[in-house]
Amino acid sequence: SKTNTGKPSSSSSSSSSSGNTGIASGDHAWHTKDGTLSFVFPSSLKEAVVEGDDHLLKASCEQPGKVIGLDVYRGDCAPNMGLGELSSMLEEKYFLPLKNYHKIGEEQSSMGSGGSVPGIVRESTFETNGVKMHHLSGYIVVDKNLYAVCLSTAGVNYNEAHQIWSRVASSVTVKR
């Protein structure tokens, strides 16, 4: 039985390109306007125009019975606050208002190639339009900003959701 700890194993024959130099076919590169944060996501997700300065990316793919959404939010870092507190504030602002929002778990989890970007990953569920959504959100701090990279899925099995998540999370790069 193959266990997936979220860390890429050297024995896996994944279809991603070698190292982090290229982008696997079917992936789309994205970065913030200032280039501080970048990552890749499946090109099946189409970017939408986002409203507001703190909602940096909204990309989604909706098919009958299947929803995949990827969002990036940004918040200011209050001084003397740890990542846990900061991420809780952002979570309260954007996710707690969602219908039946329920946090399942949280773990310290690095993102980026080789785990170079320390972060916190939260797993939760909520409802939208009567559909139960599965939500993975990774929080990282870069300079004076807190970023939340969020994957929301419905009608997608757990493994597929986590495969998309690990592809995005492992491709995160930050410029300090």
Side-chain angles (χ1 to χ4, degrees), residues 18-46:
S18 61
N20 56 2
T21 50
I23 297 168
S25 63
D27 277 355
H28 175 77
W30 180 87
H31 59 81
T32 55
K33 286 191 179 84
D34 60 7
T36 300
L37 173 72
S38 61
F39 56 80
V40 299
F41 63 85
S43 56
S44 56
L45 304 181
K46 301 297 173 226

Short mmCIF file of all heavy atoms in Angstrom, two decimals, residues 18-46:
data_model
loop_
_atom_site.label_atom_id
_atom_site.label_comp_id
_atom_site.label_asym_id
_atom_site.label_seq_id
_atom_site.Cartn_x
_atom_site.Cartn_y
_atom_site.Cartn_z
N SER A 18 10.91 17.46 -14.91
CA SER A 18 12.03 17.22 -14.00
C SER A 18 12.29 18.45 -13.15
O SER A 18 12.37 19.56 -13.65
CB SER A 18 13.28 16.88 -14.79
OG SER A 18 13.60 17.96 -15.64
N GLY A 19 12.38 18.24 -11.87
CA GLY A 19 12.68 19.32 -10.95
C GLY A 19 11.62 20.40 -10.98
O GLY A 19 10.47 20.15 -11.32
N ASN A 20 12.01 21.61 -10.62
CA ASN A 20 11.06 22.71 -10.66
C ASN A 20 11.44 23.70 -11.76
O ASN A 20 11.10 24.85 -11.70
CB ASN A 20 11.01 23.41 -9.31
CG ASN A 20 12.37 23.89 -8.86
OD1 ASN A 20 13.34 23.73 -9.59
ND2 ASN A 20 12.46 24.49 -7.69
N THR A 21 12.15 23.22 -12.75
CA THR A 21 12.61 24.11 -13.81
C THR A 21 11.51 24.36 -14.83
O THR A 21 11.38 25.45 -15.35
CB THR A 21 13.83 23.53 -14.53
OG1 THR A 21 13.53 22.19 -14.89
CG2 THR A 21 15.04 23.54 -13.64
N GLY A 22 10.72 23.36 -15.11
CA GLY A 22 9.70 23.52 -16.14
C GLY A 22 8.31 23.38 -15.56
O GLY A 22 8.13 23.18 -14.38
N ILE A 23 7.34 23.50 -16.43
CA ILE A 23 5.95 23.35 -16.02
C ILE A 23 5.41 22.13 -16.75
O ILE A 23 5.59 22.00 -17.96
CB ILE A 23 5.13 24.60 -16.40
CG1 ILE A 23 5.68 25.81 -15.62
CG2 ILE A 23 3.66 24.40 -16.10
CD1 ILE A 23 5.13 27.12 -16.13
N ALA A 24 4.78 21.26 -16.01
CA ALA A 24 4.20 20.07 -16.64
C ALA A 24 3.16 20.52 -17.66
O ALA A 24 2.50 21.53 -17.48
CB ALA A 24 3.56 19.19 -15.58
N SER A 25 3.04 19.76 -18.72
CA SER A 25 2.05 20.11 -19.72
C SER A 25 0.69 20.09 -19.04
O SER A 25 0.40 19.22 -18.22
CB SER A 25 2.07 19.12 -20.88
OG SER A 25 1.72 17.85 -20.41
N GLY A 26 -0.13 21.04 -19.36
CA GLY A 26 -1.43 21.12 -18.71
C GLY A 26 -1.40 21.95 -17.46
O GLY A 26 -2.39 22.08 -16.77
N ASP A 27 -0.25 22.54 -17.13
CA ASP A 27 -0.18 23.44 -15.98
C ASP A 27 -0.06 24.88 -16.46
O ASP A 27 0.46 25.16 -17.53
CB ASP A 27 1.01 23.10 -15.08
CG ASP A 27 0.68 21.97 -14.12
OD1 ASP A 27 -0.48 21.53 -14.10
OD2 ASP A 27 1.58 21.53 -13.39
N HIS A 28 -0.55 25.77 -15.61
CA HIS A 28 -0.54 27.20 -15.92
C HIS A 28 0.24 27.91 -14.83
O HIS A 28 0.00 27.69 -13.65
CB HIS A 28 -2.00 27.69 -15.95
CG HIS A 28 -2.12 29.17 -16.13
ND1 HIS A 28 -1.96 29.77 -17.35
CD2 HIS A 28 -2.39 30.16 -15.24
CE1 HIS A 28 -2.12 31.09 -17.20
NE2 HIS A 28 -2.39 31.35 -15.94
N ALA A 29 1.20 28.74 -15.21
CA ALA A 29 2.00 29.46 -14.22
C ALA A 29 1.28 30.74 -13.82
O ALA A 29 0.72 31.43 -14.67
CB ALA A 29 3.37 29.79 -14.80
N TRP A 30 1.30 31.05 -12.54
CA TRP A 30 0.66 32.25 -12.03
C TRP A 30 1.58 32.93 -11.03
O TRP A 30 2.30 32.26 -10.30
CB TRP A 30 -0.67 31.90 -11.36
CG TRP A 30 -1.38 33.10 -10.80
CD1 TRP A 30 -2.24 33.93 -11.46
CD2 TRP A 30 -1.30 33.60 -9.45
NE1 TRP A 30 -2.68 34.92 -10.61
CE2 TRP A 30 -2.12 34.75 -9.38
CE3 TRP A 30 -0.58 33.20 -8.32
CZ2 TRP A 30 -2.25 35.49 -8.21
CZ3 TRP A 30 -0.72 33.94 -7.15
CH2 TRP A 30 -1.55 35.07 -7.11
N HIS A 31 1.55 34.26 -10.98
CA HIS A 31 2.29 34.97 -9.95
C HIS A 31 1.58 36.27 -9.60
O HIS A 31 0.81 36.80 -10.41
CB HIS A 31 3.74 35.24 -10.38
CG HIS A 31 3.85 36.05 -11.63
ND1 HIS A 31 3.74 37.42 -11.65
CD2 HIS A 31 4.04 35.68 -12.91
CE1 HIS A 31 3.86 37.86 -12.88
NE2 HIS A 31 4.04 36.82 -13.68
N THR A 32 1.84 36.76 -8.41
CA THR A 32 1.28 38.05 -8.00
C THR A 32 1.88 39.13 -8.90
O THR A 32 2.93 38.94 -9.51
CB THR A 32 1.62 38.35 -6.52
OG1 THR A 32 3.03 38.26 -6.36
CG2 THR A 32 0.94 37.38 -5.58
N LYS A 33 1.19 40.27 -8.95
CA LYS A 33 1.66 41.36 -9.82
C LYS A 33 3.10 41.75 -9.53
O LYS A 33 3.86 42.06 -10.42
CB LYS A 33 0.75 42.58 -9.66
CG LYS A 33 -0.61 42.43 -10.33
CD LYS A 33 -1.33 43.78 -10.36
CE LYS A 33 -2.69 43.66 -11.04
NZ LYS A 33 -3.74 43.20 -10.12
N ASP A 34 3.47 41.74 -8.25
CA ASP A 34 4.83 42.13 -7.88
C ASP A 34 5.81 40.96 -7.92
O ASP A 34 6.99 41.12 -7.62
CB ASP A 34 4.85 42.78 -6.49
CG ASP A 34 4.33 41.84 -5.40
OD1 ASP A 34 4.08 40.65 -5.70
OD2 ASP A 34 4.19 42.30 -4.25
N GLY A 35 5.31 39.78 -8.29
CA GLY A 35 6.20 38.63 -8.43
C GLY A 35 6.63 38.00 -7.12
O GLY A 35 7.48 37.10 -7.10
N THR A 36 6.02 38.43 -6.00
CA THR A 36 6.41 37.91 -4.69
C THR A 36 6.09 36.43 -4.54
O THR A 36 6.86 35.66 -4.01
CB THR A 36 5.69 38.70 -3.57
OG1 THR A 36 6.05 40.07 -3.68
CG2 THR A 36 6.07 38.17 -2.20
N LEU A 37 4.92 36.05 -5.01
CA LEU A 37 4.43 34.69 -4.85
C LEU A 37 4.09 34.12 -6.22
O LEU A 37 3.47 34.80 -7.04
CB LEU A 37 3.18 34.69 -3.96
CG LEU A 37 2.43 33.36 -3.82
CD1 LEU A 37 3.22 32.40 -2.95
CD2 LEU A 37 1.06 33.60 -3.21
N SER A 38 4.53 32.89 -6.48
CA SER A 38 4.15 32.26 -7.74
C SER A 38 3.98 30.76 -7.53
O SER A 38 4.51 30.18 -6.58
CB SER A 38 5.20 32.53 -8.82
OG SER A 38 6.45 32.01 -8.43
N PHE A 39 3.19 30.15 -8.40
CA PHE A 39 2.99 28.71 -8.39
C PHE A 39 2.34 28.30 -9.70
O PHE A 39 2.03 29.15 -10.53
CB PHE A 39 2.14 28.25 -7.19
CG PHE A 39 0.79 28.91 -7.09
CD1 PHE A 39 -0.28 28.48 -7.85
CD2 PHE A 39 0.60 29.95 -6.20
CE1 PHE A 39 -1.52 29.09 -7.75
CE2 PHE A 39 -0.64 30.58 -6.09
CZ PHE A 39 -1.70 30.14 -6.87
N VAL A 40 2.17 27.00 -9.89
CA VAL A 40 1.46 26.53 -11.07
C VAL A 40 0.17 25.84 -10.64
O VAL A 40 0.07 25.35 -9.52
CB VAL A 40 2.31 25.55 -11.93
CG1 VAL A 40 3.57 26.23 -12.44
CG2 VAL A 40 2.64 24.29 -11.17
N PHE A 41 -0.81 25.85 -11.53
CA PHE A 41 -2.06 25.12 -11.27
C PHE A 41 -2.56 24.53 -12.57
O PHE A 41 -2.15 24.95 -13.65
CB PHE A 41 -3.10 26.03 -10.58
CG PHE A 41 -3.56 27.21 -11.40
CD1 PHE A 41 -4.60 27.08 -12.32
CD2 PHE A 41 -2.99 28.45 -11.22
CE1 PHE A 41 -5.04 28.17 -13.05
CE2 PHE A 41 -3.42 29.56 -11.95
CZ PHE A 41 -4.45 29.41 -12.87
N PRO A 42 -3.44 23.52 -12.49
CA PRO A 42 -3.92 22.86 -13.71
C PRO A 42 -4.58 23.87 -14.65
O PRO A 42 -5.38 24.69 -14.22
CB PRO A 42 -4.95 21.85 -13.18
CG PRO A 42 -4.57 21.62 -11.77
CD PRO A 42 -3.99 22.90 -11.27
N SER A 43 -4.23 23.80 -15.92
CA SER A 43 -4.77 24.77 -16.88
C SER A 43 -6.25 24.53 -17.16
O SER A 43 -6.89 25.33 -17.83
CB SER A 43 -3.98 24.73 -18.17
OG SER A 43 -3.97 23.43 -18.70
N SER A 44 -6.81 23.44 -16.63
CA SER A 44 -8.25 23.23 -16.77
C SER A 44 -9.03 24.25 -15.94
O SER A 44 -10.22 24.47 -16.15
CB SER A 44 -8.63 21.81 -16.32
OG SER A 44 -8.19 21.60 -14.99
N LEU A 45 -8.35 24.90 -14.98
CA LEU A 45 -8.98 25.94 -14.19
C LEU A 45 -8.85 27.26 -14.93
O LEU A 45 -7.76 27.66 -15.31
CB LEU A 45 -8.32 26.07 -12.81
CG LEU A 45 -8.26 24.81 -11.96
CD1 LEU A 45 -7.60 25.10 -10.62
CD2 LEU A 45 -9.65 24.24 -11.74
N LYS A 46 -9.98 27.93 -15.14
CA LYS A 46 -9.97 29.19 -15.87
C LYS A 46 -10.00 30.36 -14.90
O LYS A 46 -10.83 30.40 -14.00
CB LYS A 46 -11.18 29.27 -16.80
CG LYS A 46 -11.23 28.13 -17.83
CD LYS A 46 -10.03 28.18 -18.78
CE LYS A 46 -9.98 26.97 -19.68
NZ LYS A 46 -8.65 26.37 -19.77
#
